[in-house]
Amino acid sequence: MSVMRLGYVHINVTDLAESKKHYIETLGMDAVHEEDGTVYLKSWDEADHHSVVLTEGGVGLVKLGYKVSDEASLADIEQRVRAFGASYERMSKGDNQSVGDGLRITLPSEHILELYSDIEYVGTATGLWNPDPWPRDGIRGIGVPRLDHTLITTEDPVLLERFFSEVLDFRAAERLVGGEDNTELVASWMFCGDQPHDIAFVQGENGKLHHFAYHIADWSALLHAGDIFSMHDVPIDFGPARHGITRGETIYFFDPAGNRNEIFSGGYRTGKDFRTITWTMDQAARGINFTHRELDQDFLTVVT
């Protein structure tokens, strides 16, 4: 699979200074570059130039970036995008801060997806020579190590799943189905490596962001993060809890602009021989919030 991982999430925020405080002081990210009302951030265990981009002016998703293995993969994907019939254009080095040439695709869900193989390498906070397990100078707030996945909404989950499968070689780890005889696809969790999901999507309005998530070490770290959220007056959506779908442990919360974030730990390993798990709508609450087996309706309807 030539797509390696989620590289960056670019979002709009209503107040850049307030949002920077959230992502830097509460989550523990570092600001690496700032210009024209936009700030670029990375986590301490990420080596690429940035993973989250904040632009002042509204709320919601601007675009997603996924890193691919090499230039040859970009050429192959370009042919597949053309054959699929999706809209795309070539992007040039310099179009995005510190990112090389690539493809900018308009997904069937109307989201913008950028694919690239080259981005400025800045290294992790622990380095490559005899590294410590975490930064010796300590971490701020939660100290999220890295970006993990995102969940978006789409009017046609079947078409979007087909795009990610046929064009990008993603596979479905889990599906949520409904309708008569459970034949209607409601949501899909898809992977490109060996984690439970690198992107997920659920039936809803095109072009919207449900959340993007950070990896965190374990349940203990998740509970510690919950304490940090309380100390910093961060609005909690739900959690700490366990998902049935993906088997991950979670807390969902909101940034100051109202964009939903998640911290996520646990889960299982996937791979090319992984067989898709199916959930039915009558068990959806248990699938999403296994711990409490109930869902607040706002969790399903609030998107940006």
Side-chain angles (χ1 to χ4, degrees), residues 157-179:
V158 173
L159 181 61
L160 193 57
E161 186 183 76
R162 188 164 68 84
F163 176 89
F164 273 90
S165 175
E166 295 178 8
V167 176
L168 302 178
D169 285 334
F170 279 56
R171 298 192 60 205
E174 307 206 29
R175 293 189 179 107
L176 176 64
V177 298

Side-chain angles (χ1 to χ4, degrees), residues 75-153:
D76 175 56
I77 291 171
E78 182 176 9
Q79 292 181 352
R80 295 189 190 191
V81 173
R82 188 184 303 117
F84 191 91
S87 299
Y88 77 96
E89 63 182 0
R90 273 278 178 175
M91 66 184 197
S92 301
K93 184 176 182 179
D95 288 354
N96 293 302
Q97 176 67 36
S98 302
V99 178
D101 297 341
L103 290 175
R104 183 176 295 116
I105 304 165
T106 301
L107 296 176
S109 57
E110 301 176 15
H111 299 86
I112 301 300
L113 175 69
E114 294 183 336
L115 302 173
Y116 60 95
S117 62
D118 181 51
I119 184 171
E120 180 184 348
Y121 179 90
V122 297
T124 68
T126 55
L128 299 176
W129 286 80
N130 305 317
D132 295 315
W134 44 270
R136 184 168 295 197
D137 294 336
I139 56 177
R140 291 183 307 278
I142 296 167
V144 290
R146 61 176 173 84
L147 198 62
D148 192 89
H149 66 268
T150 187
L151 191 155
I152 57 178
T153 59

Side-chain angles (χ1 to χ4, degrees), residues 96-285:
N96 293 302
Q97 176 67 36
S98 302
V99 178
D101 297 341
L103 290 175
R104 183 176 295 116
I105 304 165
T106 301
L107 296 176
S109 57
E110 301 176 15
H111 299 86
I112 301 300
L113 175 69
E114 294 183 336
L115 302 173
Y116 60 95
S117 62
D118 181 51
I119 184 171
E120 180 184 348
Y121 179 90
V122 297
T124 68
T126 55
L128 299 176
W129 286 80
N130 305 317
D132 295 315
W134 44 270
R136 184 168 295 197
D137 294 336
I139 56 177
R140 291 183 307 278
I142 296 167
V144 290
R146 61 176 173 84
L147 198 62
D148 192 89
H149 66 268
T150 187
L151 191 155
I152 57 178
T153 59
T154 175
E155 294 174 5
D156 192 340
V158 173
L159 181 61
L160 193 57
E161 186 183 76
R162 188 164 68 84
F163 176 89
F164 273 90
S165 175
E166 295 178 8
V167 176
L168 302 178
D169 285 334
F170 279 56
R171 298 192 60 205
E174 307 206 29
R175 293 189 179 107
L176 176 64
V177 298
E180 292 186 16
D181 301 322
N182 290 316
T183 56
E184 178 186 351
L185 182 63
V186 177
S188 181
W189 288 257
M190 302 193 78
F191 65 91
C192 61
D194 64 356
Q195 60 183 31
H197 57 326
D198 294 274
I199 193 166
F201 39 87
V202 63
Q203 194 169 50
E205 185 180 352
N206 277 348
K208 300 298 184 179
L209 173 70
H210 185 273
H211 73 268
F212 65 94
Y214 297 88
H215 170 83
I216 201 163
D218 52 30
W219 181 250
S220 177
L222 198 84
L223 296 179
H224 174 72
D227 293 340
I228 299 293
F229 291 145
S230 184
M231 294 173 186
H232 290 212
D233 297 320
V234 174
I236 299 294
D237 194 5
F238 82 73
R242 178 192 287 279
H243 289 306
I245 298 169
T246 75
R247 211 184 298 156
E249 298 140 356
T250 179
I251 299 177
Y252 288 93
F253 54 102
F254 293 98
D255 74 6
N259 296 297
R260 186 187 280 106
N261 300 157
E262 180 192 16
I263 50 173
F264 178 91
S265 68
Y268 49 74
R269 291 183 65 184
T270 54
K272 292 183 178 180
D273 60 347
F274 188 86
R275 298 190 180 188
T276 303
I277 297 166
T278 301
W279 289 77
T280 54
M281 281 299 295
D282 62 313
Q283 294 295 314

Side-chain angles (χ1 to χ4, degrees), residues 25-43:
E25 295 185 15
T26 301
L27 297 185
M29 300 190 78
D30 294 318
V32 294
H33 184 75
E34 187 168 354
E35 62 180 8
D36 302 326
T38 297
V39 63
Y40 298 78
L41 305 117
K42 70 179 289 293
S43 295

Side-chain angles (χ1 to χ4, degrees), residues 8-70:
Y8 53 79
V9 175
H10 187 161
I11 58 170
N12 284 321
V13 296
T14 50
D15 185 317
L16 188 60
E18 189 178 22
S19 293
K20 279 174 60 179
K21 185 176 181 180
H22 169 80
Y23 286 94
I24 293 172
E25 295 185 15
T26 301
L27 297 185
M29 300 190 78
D30 294 318
V32 294
H33 184 75
E34 187 168 354
E35 62 180 8
D36 302 326
T38 297
V39 63
Y40 298 78
L41 305 117
K42 70 179 289 293
S43 295
W44 66 264
D45 207 22
E46 295 172 326
D48 291 342
H49 181 268
H50 61 269
S51 62
V52 171
V53 185
L54 311 176
T55 296
E56 190 167 57
V59 66
L61 184 65
V62 177
K63 57 191 176 184
L64 302 172
Y66 279 77
K67 192 173 186 181
V68 305
S69 56
D70 50 40

